[in-house]
Amino acid sequence: MALDVPQERGLGHLDQRYLDGLEVCRFPLLPFLHPLPLDWMYLLYTIMFLGALGIMLGCFYRLSCVAFLCPYWYLLLLDKTSWNNHSYLYGLLGFQLALLGADRYGSVDGLFRPQKRNAHVPLWNYALLRAQVFIVYFIAGLKKLDADWVGGFSMGTLARHWLFAPFRLVLSEELTSRLVVHGGGLVLDLSAGFLLFFDATRTLALVFVTYFHCMNSQLFSIGMFSYTMLATNGLFCRPEWPRGLLARCPLWLQGWLPSTKPPQPSPDCHYGCQGAQGGIRPRQHLAAAFTILYVLEQLFLPYSHFITQGYNNWTNGLYGYSWDMMVHSRFHQHVKITYRDGLTGEVGYLKPGVFTQSRRWRDHADMLKQYSTCLSQLLPRYNVTQPQIYFDVWVSINERFQQRLVDPRVDLVRAPWSPWTPTPWLLPLLMDLSPWRQRLQELEAQLDGHTDAVFIADFPGLHLENFVSEDLGNTSLRVLRGKVLVELVEQQQNHSLEEGEGMQLPAGQYHKVHTVSPEPSCYMYLYVNTTALELEQNLTRLQELRERVRNGTEESPLPPELRPILGEPLPAGVPLDPVVSLFLRREQREQRRERESSLAQRFQRFLRKKFFIFRRSALMTLIALRNLALGRPSPERLAQEVTFANWRGEEEAWLESPGGAQRGLSSEHPK
């Protein structure tokens, strides 16, 4: 349902100011953090890349750890919109590696420092890394004991993915979701750390964990996390497994590989009763104490949200280190930003997301506060004096009703916010309506293929302003609980509706739904997108017509403008019908999917995508370094260089074209 405010009522043109790089809203963790100039940021990325490369090769190891760790945490703290459990984990692993002796075997440092070459690594190094990976699995499993996950509401539609097709051969979609997606995910997270730890169960655990992360890499856009977790599997095996693997290589190749000889003693290790290295030194006591304290701290942080209460927005706390991965799924139906001129009282509307490319601000109170403060500083440039900012954010979490996240009557510019106290202008999640989810699914199942529903819950004393698009010519409202007053703005009419009652809503007009009952009201919109329905019917008729022509049952000749559906060229002077053009594009996309459905082709597309990502990164880095050394060229030349760096080949360009793979719906106001 397009719960929307038409753009002409607001300042949608402000987006261009952002695209020109003149005004941008950012979301740092600490207010004094600011990004460096663009060319210097690319230099920072280069340093971080070289640090990561040095860690991998064991070259100038400590320096490489610092070169990676400092820029990484700076970038992470600079932009909270990129925060998730995965990015937080990379920072933790980088911190641990800076303290560990990971440059002992097969490292460049070992070639120049004999005391490091093929030397023992203290066991606390392994214990620290294993504990961190164990915490990732186990805490994620504990978080999945949430009632929404156990009930199968967190990832309700995931079972439709093609990866679960083998399970759907023997199970229904609902059972696949409950047993495989939710039940299997819960059991694996809770048990993976234990199964990987013990020798008797490690082989079985490696099979399931590998399968799990390979599936995740196809299911979600989570960057390198799946591959990082796959790489951590080796931490749980015996430390000598790389040496045993290399010993099986041909003799002529072993000369070029790390040594397969037994490791030499290390001064960093304590060898117990052997007495080779004397007693336990203070440094080793500190290492043991640090390991214990670090593990305790990591066990405490995911449950420390009684401290950071300002971040609690219908979740279990600060989103950066909760480890509650995939426990909450959100669907935003409507986001409206209203500004008021504090001097004249003039009211206007802003396009959601103006001055920023991020969408994370819609879900978190701290970012909403930062965003409103930024808007209040930018709007005076557009003759809005002493601006007041009001947000109306509607979101459904784990298949509940769509409901407000924040109080739309509160000016967030002047509203209080603190990370240590609850946020007073956040509205509570209507948990007492959670049992309705089963009934909502039943109501949706009763709809035909052309009718959609949006389920709304609102608080007493508030109202929803909605605009019914011209495309939605058959839109009605039905009350499920409570009492509402429907105000038809243009007709200046009010209609009172109680539970079980409904009414037809006029298209192309505004209306307001006021909740007048003492308890929250629940109602649903039923609508048919008549334009989309007519288009689908036209495409279906073209499909049927083509089949009749091919099998010889169509007696009348095909009009010239429809000849392209048979693969014939369009006659000269005859314009291509838009519906025929759309039909042909759909056919091409279907054929493309069939051609690229094999595993080899998917792997090829994956490599191609990664190639262009690395290509762009390398070229933009070289451009930035050139600019720092020689100065910036003319804007025209710089624009050409950036365009060349952004080029992704004919296939990638097709995916971004209007007729290509951009088939998604608006994320702000889906229909």
Side-chain angles (χ1 to χ4, degrees):
M1 182 64 179
L3 306 180
D4 201 357
V5 177
Q7 184 171 321
E8 58 268 18
R9 295 185 63 189
L11 297 180
H13 65 278
L14 295 185
D15 265 351
Q16 188 59 43
R17 303 284 292 178
Y18 170 79
L19 296 176
D20 292 338
L22 301 177
E23 294 143 347
V24 180
C25 289
R26 297 184 175 89
F27 304 90
L29 177 68
L30 303 174
F32 58 81
L33 286 176
H34 299 284
L36 301 173
L38 184 60
D39 291 336
W40 286 100
M41 291 296 289
Y42 274 104
L43 177 61
L44 201 66
Y45 296 143
T46 304
I47 295 174
M48 187 169 64
F49 169 76
L50 293 177
L53 184 63
I55 294 174
M56 181 183 71
L57 298 176
C59 181
F60 301 105
Y61 179 73
R62 302 295 179 191
L63 180 62
S64 297
C65 288
V66 175
F68 169 79
L69 192 62
C70 293
Y72 184 87
W73 275 103
Y74 166 73
L75 295 171
L76 186 63
L77 299 178
L78 187 65
D79 183 15
K80 287 186 291 187
T81 63
S82 64
W83 276 33
N84 55 31
N85 295 288
H86 314 150
S87 57
Y88 181 70
L89 175 64
Y90 302 150
L92 292 178
L93 293 177
F95 169 70
Q96 294 174 33
L97 289 173
L99 304 175
L100 307 183
D103 57 341
R104 298 296 189 268
Y105 182 69
S107 67
V108 175
D109 288 348
L111 298 177
F112 303 99
R113 301 182 64 180
Q115 68 272 22
K116 283 189 174 184
R117 189 183 310 155
N118 195 21
H120 275 131
V121 176
L123 289 179
W124 72 269
N125 289 197
Y126 292 96
L128 192 64
L129 291 171
R130 289 169 177 170
Q132 183 66 74
V133 177
F134 175 86
I135 287 172
V136 173
Y137 283 118
F138 189 64
I139 298 297
L142 293 180
K143 296 285 186 174
K144 287 181 174 61
L145 292 175
D146 182 83
D148 286 357
W149 183 276
V150 175
F153 295 105
S154 295
M155 296 281 115
T157 60
L158 197 61
R160 302 173 187 172
H161 197 278
W162 63 267
L163 282 172
F164 296 98
F167 300 100
R168 294 198 301 269
L169 295 175
V170 294
L171 298 173
S172 65
E173 183 179 308
E174 181 181 0
L175 285 177
T176 301
S177 176
R178 285 178 176 260
L179 299 180
V180 180
V181 176
H182 292 87
L186 172 63
V187 172
L188 188 139
D189 279 338
L190 285 176
S191 62
F194 296 101
L195 297 178
L196 286 169
F197 185 79
F198 296 104
D199 293 342
T201 56
R202 185 173 300 123
T203 302
L204 180 64
L206 289 175
V207 172
F208 282 105
V209 167
T210 301
Y211 179 67
F212 174 73
H213 290 303
C214 289
M215 288 185 66
N216 283 344
S217 68
Q218 300 299 310
L219 290 170
F220 308 109
S221 299
I222 51 178
M224 294 298 297
F225 177 71
S226 298
Y227 311 108
T228 301
M229 295 305 291
L230 283 173
T232 62
N233 288 342
L235 292 173
F236 292 88
C237 301
R238 294 183 179 275
E240 62 271 13
W241 72 266
R243 186 177 285 102
L245 182 64
L246 296 179
R248 299 184 180 183
C249 295
L251 293 177
W252 64 268
L253 185 60
Q254 291 185 16
W256 297 90
L257 297 175
S259 174
T260 58
K261 298 179 181 179
Q264 65 170 327
S266 170
D268 296 329
C269 298
H270 175 68
Y271 294 92
C273 60
Q274 297 179 15
Q277 300 295 327
I280 300 178
R281 295 177 296 172
R283 179 180 178 183
Q284 293 164 336
H285 282 292
L286 290 175
F290 170 77
T291 302
I292 295 173
L293 292 176
Y294 180 85
V295 172
L296 292 177
E297 174 259 349
Q298 285 297 303
L299 291 172
F300 170 74
L301 281 181
Y303 296 97
S304 66
H305 308 307
F306 61 92
I307 300 176
T308 55
Q309 300 182 59
Y311 297 93
N312 292 0
N313 299 354
W314 301 353
T315 66
N316 295 326
L318 183 61
Y319 43 87
Y321 54 80
S322 298
W323 305 122
D324 52 351
M325 292 174 281
M326 305 301 174
V327 175
H328 303 100
S329 61
R330 297 169 181 262
F331 175 70
H332 294 83
Q333 187 68 45
H334 173 51
V335 178
K336 183 174 71 173
I337 306 177
T338 306
Y339 68 86
R340 182 190 299 274
D341 192 306
L343 189 62
T344 65
E346 178 187 358
V347 176
Y349 301 89
L350 297 176
K351 183 177 181 180
V354 65
F355 301 123
T356 179
Q357 290 182 326
S358 172
R359 300 175 183 175
R360 292 284 294 276
W361 57 266
R362 303 175 301 177
D363 295 325
H364 303 288
D366 58 318
M367 294 190 194
L368 284 167
K369 177 64 178 179
Q370 287 178 299
Y371 193 28
S372 62
T373 302
C374 177
L375 293 176
S376 70
Q377 296 170 353
L378 295 177
L379 287 183
R381 305 179 189 180
Y382 300 89
N383 300 321
V384 180
T385 308
Q386 301 174 8
Q388 304 168 8
I389 306 296
Y390 303 87
F391 287 91
D392 196 12
V393 180
W394 290 78
V395 59
S396 168
I397 183 169
N398 293 347
E399 302 187 21
R400 290 180 174 85
F401 283 97
Q402 290 281 337
Q403 71 155 92
R404 301 178 196 267
L405 176 67
V406 300
D407 192 332
R409 301 165 295 189
V410 176
D411 172 21
L412 295 197
V413 177
R414 295 158 183 83
W417 180 85
S418 170
W420 319 117
T421 58
T423 306
W425 37 270
L426 280 180
L427 296 175
L429 180 62
L430 296 173
M431 294 294 296
D432 58 325
L433 299 179
S434 297
W436 276 79
R437 288 181 289 189
Q438 193 66 36
R439 183 179 175 187
L440 300 185
Q441 293 177 352
E442 295 172 357
L443 291 173
E444 283 191 315
Q446 297 173 4
L447 303 176
D448 58 50
H450 306 296
T451 304
D452 287 317
V454 176
F455 301 98
I456 306 292
D458 203 3
F459 293 89
L462 298 180
H463 72 273
L464 167 65
E465 181 184 19
N466 191 8
F467 179 82
V468 179
S469 173
E470 295 284 359
D471 293 338
L472 309 180
N474 185 17
T475 301
S476 62
L477 183 144
R478 178 185 172 189
V479 179
L480 302 175
R481 172 179 165 179
K483 184 178 181 180
V484 302
L485 183 69
V486 181
E487 176 187 355
L488 303 181
V489 178
E490 295 186 15
Q491 302 177 12
Q492 297 183 352
Q493 297 179 359
N494 294 333
H495 299 267
S496 180
L497 301 177
E498 297 185 356
E499 183 174 335
E501 298 179 346
M503 64 174 292
Q504 197 78 11
L505 297 173
Q509 298 183 22
Y510 281 92
H511 66 271
K512 298 180 180 180
V513 184
H514 301 261
T515 298
V516 296
S517 55
E519 73 278 354
S521 65
C522 305
Y523 50 92
M524 68 175 180
Y525 284 96
L526 292 172
Y527 63 96
V528 177
N529 192 324
T530 54
T531 302
L533 177 59
E534 181 180 357
L535 177 61
E536 184 176 341
Q537 291 173 344
N538 290 336
L539 294 176
T540 302
R541 284 195 291 268
L542 286 179
Q543 179 77 23
E544 295 173 349
L545 178 60
R546 186 176 66 176
E547 294 300 324
R548 291 198 301 269
V549 171
R550 287 178 173 177
N551 59 31
T553 58
E554 178 63 30
E555 299 178 356
S556 57
L558 202 63
E561 63 272 14
L562 299 183
R563 304 298 298 181
I565 68 174
L566 299 178
E568 301 178 5
L570 192 69
V574 178
L576 181 62
D577 186 89
V579 177
V580 174
S581 176
L582 179 61
F583 177 83
L584 295 176
R585 289 201 299 271
R586 283 194 175 187
E587 291 289 320
Q588 292 173 356
R589 287 197 294 267
E590 291 298 328
Q591 295 172 2
R592 185 185 182 86
R593 292 193 192 101
E594 293 177 0
R595 291 195 306 267
E596 299 182 353
S597 59
S598 67
L599 181 61
Q601 289 169 330
R602 291 196 187 98
F603 183 67
Q604 182 181 6
R605 290 203 307 272
F606 170 81
L607 293 179
R608 181 183 178 87
K609 179 180 178 181
K610 296 301 179 183
F611 167 77
F612 282 107
I613 290 176
F614 285 113
R615 174 186 180 274
R616 180 186 184 277
S617 300
L619 290 176
M620 292 297 289
T621 300
L622 291 175
I623 292 172
L625 295 176
R626 189 276 316 276
N627 294 344
L628 291 173
L630 305 177
R632 286 197 172 192
S634 64
E636 294 78 11
R637 179 183 173 184
L638 187 61
Q640 292 176 354
E641 292 174 344
V642 172
T643 301
F644 177 73
N646 290 331
W647 181 76
R648 289 181 292 172
E650 296 180 359
E651 177 182 359
E652 304 294 326
W654 179 88
L655 292 174
E656 295 297 328
S657 66
Q662 284 190 338
R663 299 180 293 273
L665 301 176
S666 170
S667 61
E668 296 291 352
H669 311 297
K671 296 184 181 180

